[in-house]
Amino acid sequence: MKSKIVGALNIILGAVIAVGTRTFLHVCGGGMNSGSMGDSMGDSMGEMQMPCAGVPNASLVAGIVLAVLGIIFIIAGKKKVVSTLLGLLNVIAGVVVIGIPTFIVGVCGGAHMHCHMVTRPALIIVGAFVVILGIIGAVSKASNYSKD
């Protein structure tokens, strides 16, 4: 698989992760920080923070990292060692994306909650695509070591 295709797919998946969790894949309570859920420290009522409140921020960081990896893939991915290293970093980033809603940040326990029904499965699926893309990017260049 060409490094430009892997890089472009990386950028697209990074954008889906970063923007999706703030829009259509939002966590419980709405978009970014809907009202008092995001800033409960100074609140006199002391509202409880939802377990999924950190998912958009963690996903934003993961999406930016994936987009940067994609840009590097496009620029320097023709070199076999760089491509293999970027593929392995992609696999690690994909595991992190899967881990955000499962074991790093987590989501609400209620099966009826939006973060549990939509955000979590979407991030797991997109993270799995990132892992597969990383494996393809690393292996496709690694198998060509004898050619150059």
Side-chain angles (χ1 to χ4, degrees):
M1 191 176 248
K2 292 191 173 199
S3 60
K4 289 183 180 183
I5 295 171
V6 173
L9 289 174
N10 232 21
I11 293 169
I12 291 168
L13 291 174
V16 167
I17 292 167
V19 175
T21 55
R22 295 179 171 272
T23 56
F24 61 95
L25 299 175
H26 62 83
V27 294
C28 302
M32 291 183 355
N33 289 328
S34 65
S36 61
M37 269 192 242
D39 54 353
S40 63
M41 282 199 50
D43 199 11
S44 61
M45 299 293 262
E47 288 188 31
M48 189 172 75
Q49 185 89 7
M50 298 298 279
C52 60
V55 170
N57 293 335
S59 297
L60 177 66
V61 172
I64 290 171
V65 167
L66 281 172
V68 169
L69 283 174
I71 292 169
I72 296 171
F73 235 118
I74 291 172
I75 294 171
K78 292 181 181 178
K79 297 181 181 181
K80 295 171 203 157
V81 175
V82 173
S83 178
T84 303
L85 179 64
L86 289 172
L88 294 175
L89 288 173
N90 224 32
V91 170
I92 293 169
V95 170
V96 169
V97 169
I98 293 170
I100 289 171
T102 55
F103 60 87
I104 295 174
V105 177
V107 294
C108 301
H112 65 285
M113 303 297 277
H114 190 270
C115 63
H116 191 83
M117 293 187 321
V118 177
T119 309
R120 180 180 175 175
L123 285 177
I124 291 171
I125 290 169
V126 173
F129 281 135
V130 170
V131 169
I132 292 168
L133 187 64
I135 291 171
I136 290 170
V139 171
S140 67
K141 290 291 183 177
S143 64
N144 293 333
Y145 272 122
S146 60
K147 293 182 181 176
D148 284 335

